[in-house]
Amino acid sequence: MKLESFWQQTAPVFTGGSQQPLPERADVVVIGGGFSGISAARNLARQGIDVVVLESEGVMSQASARNGGHCNSGVAQNFAGLVASKGLEKATEFYRAFDNAVSYVETVINEESIDCDFRLCGKIKLASKPTHFASLQAAAELMRKTVDPEVELISASEIRNEVNSEAFHGGLLQKRGGQMHMGKFGIGLAEAAARAGAKIFEHHAVTGLTRLSGYQHRVETAKGTIIADKVLLASGCSNKGPFPWFQRRIVPVGSFIVTTAPLPAEQLQQLLPQDRTYVTSMNIGNYFRTTADNRLVFGGRARFSMSNPTQDARSGEILRASLKNLFPQFANAPIDYCWGGLVDMSADRLPHAGEENGLFYTMGYSGHGTQMSVWMGKVMADLIGGVADNNPWKTQSWPAVPGYFGKPWFLPLTGLYYKTKDRLF
């Protein structure tokens, strides 16, 4: 079992990185070489703007290529709960933003001819307990009336036609859900940005960030300093580097994934007849899907801890046990890959994007960033370039997490709280 991301290990090699010294100036410096930053750079370069990307490691080395491979519509929360907290108008705007983001990912793939196994297959949220089905039913009724007339409720008696497991008691199908090979998509997007004229500097961690005037900043790295007329921070967790304001608002939470060896196609067909993306209704639940070469990708919040090789391996064993519990027929399926990644979690589980003290930013995708991060790259490029302001998150307040200064000391307590909820409700 390799402690590596399947997406990264099976992706093409990125060839578009700049081999030149860091320039002295740029119109825009983007900090972060994941989906948000590279998407923004591609769109800025297509506007004729001189843009430099600074990535601390390699492009797509963090959450963008260390996730479960889903590209789904729908918000992170139960839609009815989001309506209760934000109101119907705002909740509808947020839901449609995610739906538009899926469409935008599909558009980019087609425009750039990116070979990444993309397909719209639908997403099912599975009721892990009989009592959870009532919540899905209420959400489905509200969604049909407001944002998604095609949403489909699947009863307990019908769910085995979708997932051949006795562990589930119905489900909610959103038909715009999709999936792709994250590594292939990410490298394809980065190559497209480089072709458009973006200068991408890998292994250029930002060590200093000083506001000079207005939007202008001096950006320091160990390999040189650059003056930027504008800066976009698209660094996900932002738990490393000179970003204290964001480090009080983004909590890095580990998410862990295993991928099996290729399995017999007929066995997967029997297990998942419709071959969609899936997520369970537990607070500490699981998500899974297949791959183009007949693997099963199975993940979840196995442990409330940071990701590192030791934690990844321990989490892999927990995930293996969960896989066996949900699908006993895969109890002996060989595991080829096991890895973890950090989710940039916000307290309200919504993205946050805009401008603060002259610094543009987009982050806080809270485990639903595959589609939204790509789309928000375009949104922020349009905002920075003066093309349009289509940012759905600009009016959202973003207070600091009380008692939090960048070290998530409360994660074990949070995990205990959610485990208790899962046992009781």
Side-chain angles (χ1 to χ4, degrees):
M1 182 176 71
K2 300 176 183 177
L3 294 178
E4 301 286 351
S5 163
F6 169 73
W7 311 125
Q8 290 174 327
Q9 288 294 300
T10 56
V13 175
F14 177 54
T15 62
S18 178
Q19 304 302 313
Q20 302 298 315
L22 191 66
E24 294 181 358
R25 303 187 66 90
D27 295 335
V28 179
V29 166
V30 176
I31 302 174
F35 288 161
S36 291
I38 294 296
S39 177
R42 171 181 175 267
N43 282 281
L44 288 164
R46 284 161 60 120
Q47 295 176 35
I49 292 172
D50 178 29
V51 55
V52 166
V53 178
L54 301 177
E55 164 55 42
S56 62
E57 297 183 28
V59 296
M60 308 297 161
S61 58
Q62 299 302 315
S64 296
R66 302 187 69 80
N67 55 66
H70 298 207
C71 184
N72 293 323
S73 59
V75 293
Q77 305 91 331
N78 178 288
F79 183 69
L82 187 63
V83 170
S85 63
K86 299 294 182 180
L88 179 58
E89 181 179 358
K90 188 60 68 175
T92 298
E93 179 186 2
F94 293 166
Y95 187 97
R96 289 181 174 155
F98 275 91
D99 200 48
N100 291 337
V102 174
S103 297
Y104 180 67
V105 169
E106 187 175 16
T107 296
V108 171
I109 290 169
N110 291 332
E111 285 181 351
E112 301 292 354
S113 299
I114 301 174
D115 180 10
C116 60
D117 306 324
F118 177 84
R119 63 187 182 90
L120 293 175
C121 54
K123 164 200 168 184
I124 296 183
K125 186 167 187 178
L126 296 161
S128 298
K129 294 183 178 182
T131 54
H132 291 183
F133 186 73
S135 177
L136 297 182
Q137 187 173 28
E141 291 172 358
L142 179 60
M143 290 163 67
R144 280 198 199 102
K145 295 176 183 177
T146 55
V147 294
D148 190 350
E150 295 185 347
V151 71
E152 184 177 326
L153 195 67
I154 304 171
S155 68
S157 62
E158 299 169 323
I159 197 63
R160 292 286 290 274
N161 296 327
E162 290 281 354
V163 181
N164 190 9
S165 169
E166 297 181 1
F168 304 114
H169 307 273
L172 178 65
L173 170 63
Q174 293 163 271
K175 297 182 180 180
R176 286 283 300 158
Q179 60 171 259
M180 60 185 174
H181 188 298
M182 294 297 160
K184 292 179 180 178
F185 172 74
I187 297 302
L189 184 66
E191 298 285 11
R195 286 196 303 269
K199 304 178 186 71
I200 302 173
F201 289 84
E202 300 178 290
H203 308 290
H204 277 65
V206 172
T207 57
L209 186 63
T210 305
R211 187 180 186 182
L212 301 179
S213 63
Y215 297 129
Q216 192 177 72
H217 284 75
R218 181 172 63 249
V219 186
E220 300 172 37
T221 78
K223 299 181 179 180
T225 298
I226 183 171
I227 304 299
D229 291 337
K230 295 178 180 178
V231 173
L232 171 63
L233 182 62
S235 56
C237 289
S238 301
N239 56 320
K240 296 179 181 178
F243 316 117
W245 192 87
F246 300 94
Q247 288 163 354
R248 293 205 61 199
R249 289 158 173 81
I250 290 290
V251 180
V253 176
S255 189
F256 304 91
I257 303 163
V258 294
T259 298
T260 69
L263 301 169
E266 59 274 14
Q267 188 178 25
L268 286 177
Q269 174 64 26
Q270 183 181 31
L271 174 72
L272 305 170
Q274 307 304 323
D275 199 11
R276 308 187 192 275
T277 63
Y278 309 86
V279 60
T280 68
S281 62
M282 303 292 277
N283 291 292
I284 305 179
N286 297 107
Y287 48 86
F288 49 96
R289 52 156 289 193
T290 64
T291 66
D293 61 345
N294 294 328
R295 301 172 186 268
L296 185 67
V297 180
F298 188 89
R301 306 278 188 272
R303 307 178 77 245
F304 272 70
S305 63
M306 303 290 276
S307 173
N308 59 52
T310 299
Q311 301 294 354
D312 292 356
R314 292 175 179 173
S315 298
E317 292 307 312
I318 295 173
L319 290 173
R320 187 194 293 268
S322 298
L323 176 60
K324 178 180 178 180
N325 181 55
L326 296 181
F327 302 108
Q329 56 270 59
F330 285 152
N332 298 316
I335 303 297
D336 274 0
Y337 296 90
C338 172
W339 73 95
L342 294 179
V343 176
D344 54 334
M345 192 76 71
S346 62
D348 59 7
R349 298 186 68 198
L350 290 171
H352 291 267
E355 178 264 325
E356 176 68 26
N357 293 323
L359 183 66
F360 294 92
Y361 64 91
T362 179
M363 59 186 69
Y365 301 117
S366 301
H368 285 64
T370 294
Q371 67 292 77
M372 185 53 63
S373 58
V374 180
W375 186 64
M376 284 306 299
K378 180 185 186 313
V379 168
M380 295 309 294
D382 288 348
L383 177 64
I384 291 169
V387 174
D389 183 359
N390 299 315
N391 179 11
W393 317 108
K394 61 186 174 184
T395 61
Q396 294 299 107
S397 63
W398 200 13
V401 177
Y404 174 58
F405 297 92
K407 184 177 181 179
W409 53 268
F410 44 77
L411 284 185
L413 297 176
T414 303
L416 180 62
Y417 168 74
Y418 283 122
K419 287 179 182 177
T420 303
K421 286 191 70 175
D422 281 341
R423 282 197 297 267
L424 297 178
F425 303 105

